[in-house]
Amino acid sequence: MSEKSSGGVVPAQNGGRDGTYGPVDPGGHRHAREPQGAPVWQSSRPGSIYDYIKVASFSLGPDGRIDQWSERAAQMLGIPARHALGKDPVEAFVPSEFSETGRRKVSEILDGREWTGLVPYRREADGAVDGLAEIYVMPAENEDGERGAVCLVVDVRALRGIETDLAAAQAVFGQSPMGFTLFGTDLKLLRVNERFATVFGGPAGKYRGGTPHDFLPRPEAERMTVALRRVLTTGEPVSEMQLVGHVPGEDDRRRWSISLYRLHGASGRPIGVAALASDVTGRRRAEREAANARRNLALLNEAGARIGNSLDLETTARTLLDVAVPQFCDLASVDLYQGLLAGDEAQPGMSDGSAELRRVAFASAVSDAPLPGGAPEEAPVAVGAVHRYPFNSPCAAALRTAQAQIIPGRESDEGPELGAVVHSTLAVPMVARDTVVGLVQFSRTKGSEPFGERDTALAVELAARAAVCIDNARLYRREHERALILQRSLLPPGDPEAAGLDIACRYLPGTTATEVGGDWFDVIELPGHRTALVVGDVMGRGLRAAVAMGELRTAVRTLALLDLEPAEVLGALDEIARGLGDSGDRGAMARSARSRSGAPAGGPAQGRSARTADLSEVYLATCVYAVYDPITRVCTFANAGHLPPVLVEEGEEALLLDVPPGMPLGVGGEPFEEIEVEVPDGALLALYTDGLVESRHHPLDEGLQAFRRALSDAGRPLEDVCDHVLSALDTSHGEDDIALLMARVHGLPKDAVGDWSLAPEPRSVARARELARDQLTDWGLQALVDTTELLVSELVTNALRHGHGEIRLRLLLDRTLVCEVWDADLAQPRRRRARDTDEGGRGLQLVGLLSERWGSRRTPRGKTVWFELALPDGDATPMDPAEALLSLF
């Protein structure tokens, strides 16, 4: 007896009219189409339940012996047919200890009784019990009416395995916390587990015969169908495919991770595809939040590294937007209060957010169009434009309350304008030191996630960091502008003029960040068409050094106008510097300065604080003071610890003048010396500070040599010489300020000087008037004759009345007319106001009234009283001497 048909299709009872073959399945087996009407006999496909159970059969004849033995029985029980046919089944495979029970059961079966039970068996004769079979015995009769039996045998171990597999499968479908589905070869659902049914609703049987389109959105269902077909065809599994969909009763989208693998029957034939799904919505959300947190930390780290590296307002604002776009948002802009940019501390309207703002920066990853104003429907604002936010706008509310505001976008199909695509905007006030300085707008376009709480917190942090840096830049700009005003007020004008000299000068700050320092130069006009040239350097940098420099420069100008000798000027200036820097430890300050200049120090300063040292150092300075007389062509130098001047004569190499260096100003205790140097016409004189020739990259001697070489071609125009020196030397090191003052000498010609000696007698007054009238007539200055005669008469008269010795009269013509009267008396004239009844005392009043300026100075053998008159220019009319004289009464 065979267990199953070996193949072929048995024709139906209707003659097999419809017994046609159907399509081939993925295992290569063809199925008969099921006709409408009567059922069709067909061969079973491999992998049926019989392949798993392994049913065997044999039959017993009327004599109780085996008369048929199937091949499956031989395989299962291990007994070939030749050893089983004709044998007593009890003797054939039942162990001897069960022989009696076995014969009794066989007798009952032959009597026509059905029986089912477990029978132990051995695979070899006289072997131990090796298996347990479940036998189903059915009584049978042959054609002679004799009784026999048909026996079906099943291995109990195979049954138990099937039961275990079924229990496991049931556990997967009924108890697994993950969704499990089984698709057939037609890609339709054969079975889903309870977890799947719980998520999507309804009983599990509801989904039998369904497709992915029944529980997933169309795009996702198509993706899964393609994946199922590929797995069924190729056998390659798919792991963690991400699918997104909705479940009944929930608005939020859910995300699942799907793994697919092909199932095979006992014969290896594909029978379907299993899908294992897990809900990763929470994990995905956590991953997204973690990614956002990492992004936020990275943004904050980048902001901390980049924002604030510049003290320029616009650069700081642009850096903020470079950090935010596109990492945080798609568009962004920065507005700052116009009043704060202009330097106003409290502009009207700042408290309620209605004050004027200027857009200083804009960035976009989607469009170059400007960002709208306080709401998407407002007009765009270009960079550099000044605008106001309406009082009721969200942006004005953010400025007014110092709280971030979320501005929703608008839905519009009117056109491609930017406002129609922005769906979320954060208006974040920029607050620094409890003051709102401006507003930042971060915007996201459609397709990006809207701003959430974490985004708002991050935007506030970014705006706060930028606000502090922008406020620092604003404060710096304000202080910098004030420092520049101070610096420009302390330096002489760009083109100073002097009698007998062509002047060119340059000033370079040590760093463009401050543009202020302690270096200075000055050109001071002295009586007698003489000129004082000054270059100095206050130790230290920045605003404190600039303030000290201004004080010293003012003191130099005051002392110069007293017409003191250069050494006397530096001595007085040293006392002033010591007073400015006196912090209660003058001795320590002097010792520190001596150690700097190489002089022996009296020992280390004891008990001086760092602040005391700083204050004392600020008011230490070096200075060189030179006075040039264009009549004698003699320049007198005095030096206070400064680098020596350089003299370049025509056709000669540049020469460092051997001027005694002296001690720096503010040290005290040492007298200053001066030397006189005769300077020929056409020679070049250069005064400078150490920043020009000294650098950490080379020693001072090399810098001085390079400076001298740069001055070797001094025949070119003076401005060109200055530019050549700065380009030839390393002036961009930023270590110290640089001051350069250059003068080309052109003495007064002899015909521009009138010099006479007068006897100390009354008739010399008339002689002085005659000499002055003749000289002015020769110079073509007839318009000044009357005034000059009157004033010369007054000065010579005073010399005769109050002085003694020989009288000297000198007239000098250059840019102005100068008249000098010399006498041997040391008493300086004093101007006083004469009363109406006084007969005299009005001479100096008249000199002061008619002249541009006047004064007196000491000389080695007396004094000189002088006055200066402006040359007639054709427009101005000089005061009539008669009217001036009458005005004194």
Side-chain angles (χ1 to χ4, degrees), residues 555-853:
V556 169
R557 295 189 70 87
T558 302
L559 294 170
L561 293 178
L562 294 177
D563 210 355
L564 303 177
E565 295 298 324
E568 293 178 324
V569 170
L570 292 185
L573 190 63
D574 177 63
E575 290 294 330
I576 294 173
R578 293 173 67 191
L580 294 176
D582 190 358
S583 58
D585 193 359
R586 182 176 297 179
M589 177 179 64
R591 290 190 294 271
S592 174
R594 285 191 174 95
S595 65
R596 286 176 177 270
S597 61
Q606 301 292 331
R608 184 175 65 170
S609 66
R611 177 172 175 81
T612 301
D614 179 64
L615 288 174
S616 65
E617 186 173 338
V618 166
Y619 292 102
L620 291 176
T622 63
C623 178
V624 62
Y625 185 89
V627 175
Y628 173 69
D629 189 341
I631 301 173
T632 63
R633 271 75 166 175
V634 171
C635 190
T636 305
F637 294 93
N639 193 354
H642 204 81
L643 294 173
V646 177
L647 178 64
V648 186
E649 298 184 17
E650 292 185 9
E652 302 290 338
E653 293 184 355
L655 175 66
L656 291 175
L657 296 178
D658 188 13
V659 180
M663 297 297 295
L665 300 175
V667 174
E670 298 289 338
F672 296 98
E673 302 179 32
E674 62 184 42
I675 65 169
E676 292 184 353
V677 178
E678 186 174 349
V679 184
D681 286 351
L684 182 66
L685 187 64
L687 284 73
Y688 54 96
T689 57
D690 56 359
L692 180 66
V693 295
E694 189 175 19
S695 172
R696 67 168 62 100
H697 304 296
H698 56 75
L700 178 61
D701 291 342
E702 290 186 8
L704 289 173
Q705 289 295 333
F707 183 37
R708 293 172 60 190
R709 287 193 299 270
L711 291 173
S712 60
D713 185 12
R716 67 180 72 183
L718 199 56
E719 292 291 336
D720 295 343
V721 175
C722 282
D723 294 336
H724 174 67
V725 168
L726 295 181
S727 62
L729 301 181
D730 180 18
T731 58
S732 60
H733 49 71
E735 299 172 13
D736 198 1
D737 305 324
I738 295 174
L740 175 63
L741 176 61
M742 304 184 73
R744 179 168 282 128
V745 176
H746 299 288
L748 289 181
K750 292 182 178 181
D751 58 2
V753 179
D755 195 348
W756 306 274
S757 294
L758 302 173
E761 55 187 18
R763 63 180 181 178
S764 293
V765 176
R767 177 60 179 166
R769 288 198 298 267
E770 181 183 356
L771 292 172
R773 181 174 58 252
D774 292 343
Q775 184 65 67
L776 265 62
T777 301
D778 292 342
W779 286 340
L781 299 178
Q782 289 82 357
L784 299 180
V785 169
D786 293 341
T787 302
T788 303
E789 283 190 58
L790 177 60
L791 297 184
V792 165
S793 177
E794 289 292 336
L795 294 185
V796 173
T797 301
N798 286 340
L800 289 172
R801 181 178 301 177
H802 303 290
H804 60 273
E806 187 181 47
I807 300 173
R808 182 181 176 187
L809 173 64
R810 189 168 70 171
L811 295 178
L812 308 174
L813 177 62
D814 191 67
R815 293 179 296 112
T816 60
L817 175 66
V818 175
C819 176
E820 298 176 333
V821 176
W822 307 49
D823 64 65
D825 188 66
L826 295 177
Q828 298 292 317
R830 183 174 60 87
R831 180 179 177 181
R832 66 181 180 87
R833 182 174 295 279
R835 295 187 297 271
D836 294 341
T837 57
D838 292 343
E839 295 183 1
R842 295 179 177 84
L844 292 181
Q845 284 184 263
L846 185 62
V847 173
L849 185 64
L850 292 177
S851 66
E852 289 291 321
R853 57 177 183 156

Side-chain angles (χ1 to χ4, degrees), residues 3 31 75 89 164 259 458 493 524 544 575 787 886:
E3 292 80 5
H31 306 283
Q75 296 172 1
T164 301
S259 295
L458 176 61
I524 307 171
R544 289 176 59 85
E575 290 294 330
T787 302
L886 291 175

